[in-house]
Amino acid sequence: MLVHVNVDYGHGDLAFAQVVQHLTSHLAHAEPILTPVSAFSTLVTGFRVAQLGLNEAPTGPLIYDNVAPRKDDEEAQPGNAGERLAFARLPAGVRVVGINAGYTFAFVREAAEEIRWAVAPAERIEVSCYSVVEKPRVVHHLVPAATMTDVMAPT
């Protein structure tokens, strides 16, 4: 399964290595492709989500985003909490999992067939460099045959 990893860190960065390690440990057939963006650039991230997600793609691709400038509260957060995790299913069958920050979902919001939010205490989820993909229940439900219903709440 093709997995586009849109993050504001890159090859050679331990955070990217950890993301790939966790993705491939939960999704055995994952083929991670790094598409780095400038630090905190949700505008570029959102454009890439649209470009990769709304055009023809191989069967069952996933876009994973972790670009979160924390505009809601710039102070350090307990447990590295941040913006909410979102899931979108696009018309071409592309699934997007990422932090709902800035413009990340702005270019696909209207086209999405489905958008859901992660269920998390106080409507937040920890989003350190790889904590999203290490959550077994979230990652388990990214496989093509699964549903998000017990993990994600409707918008």
Side-chain angles (χ1 to χ4, degrees):
M1 165 187 7
L2 183 63
V3 180
H4 291 284
V5 181
N6 290 329
V7 293
D8 52 3
Y9 41 85
H11 280 293
D13 190 300
L14 182 57
F16 176 69
Q18 290 174 312
V19 166
V20 169
Q21 184 171 318
H22 285 277
L23 277 170
T24 56
S25 70
H26 292 288
L27 300 171
H29 301 292
E31 296 177 36
I33 306 271
L34 174 65
T35 52
V37 301
S38 301
F40 307 126
S41 183
T42 63
L43 183 63
V44 172
T45 300
F47 176 79
R48 288 186 180 180
V49 167
Q51 188 68 23
L52 295 169
L54 296 176
N55 289 298
E56 189 174 329
T59 304
L62 171 69
I63 299 172
Y64 167 76
D65 289 311
N66 191 357
V67 177
R70 295 192 179 151
K71 296 288 184 186
D72 63 336
D73 187 349
E74 295 180 4
E75 297 297 316
Q77 299 296 307
N80 202 27
E83 285 84 354
R84 293 171 71 189
L85 178 67
F87 167 83
R89 185 179 315 277
L90 304 179
V94 177
R95 292 153 303 144
V96 182
V97 174
I99 309 308
N100 184 39
Y103 296 97
T104 299
F105 288 88
F107 301 105
V108 298
R109 188 169 281 122
E110 295 299 318
E113 294 177 345
E114 175 183 19
I115 295 181
R116 295 178 178 264
W117 308 103
V119 177
E123 300 182 349
R124 300 173 72 86
I125 191 164
E126 180 182 329
V127 290
S128 66
C129 65
Y130 64 88
S131 61
V132 172
V133 294
E134 76 177 350
K135 307 277 187 214
R137 285 183 35 154
V138 173
V139 174
H140 170 74
H141 290 282
L142 297 179
V143 295
T147 66
M148 300 294 285
T149 54
D150 70 329
V151 178
M152 310 296 267
T155 57

